[in-house]
Amino acid sequence: MPAEMTPRRFPPPWSVDEYDECFVVRDASGQALGYFYFDEEQQSPAIDRRLTRDDARRMAVNFAKLPNLVASRWLA
């Protein structure tokens, strides 16, 4: 079966859900694909290994764009 006809394992679109301490990227079927944890009251990045809220949000949003980036590379 050609690559264009194979069903995707993690169907797009991917979405980002926000929770108290993390962002979760989910595929169209609701499967969680990635967790991006943050700490809003971060004292020092060297001590606490969690991301800032803004960094976690940016990473989650960019991760959720991956299906579109891959599709655009195949179409080019």
Side-chain angles (χ1 to χ4, degrees):
M1 185 181 282
E4 301 86 40
M5 299 180 73
T6 55
R8 289 191 165 183
R9 185 169 178 192
F10 305 111
W14 291 2
S15 62
V16 178
D17 298 328
E18 182 178 354
Y19 294 95
D20 289 337
E21 60 182 22
C22 71
F23 291 93
V24 180
V25 177
R26 297 182 186 280
D27 68 6
S29 66
Q31 172 68 42
L33 305 175
Y35 293 83
F36 298 85
Y37 288 90
F38 62 88
D39 188 357
E40 292 201 53
E41 298 176 16
Q42 192 172 26
Q43 299 299 320
S44 169
I47 297 170
D48 188 3
R49 297 289 184 195
R50 287 193 180 183
L51 300 168
T52 64
R53 184 182 180 283
D54 287 340
D55 287 341
R57 182 190 51 78
R58 272 191 291 257
M59 290 179 69
V61 167
N62 286 327
F63 185 76
K65 292 178 184 177
L66 284 175
N68 296 334
L69 294 174
V70 171
S72 67
R73 288 194 83 193
W74 286 104
L75 296 174

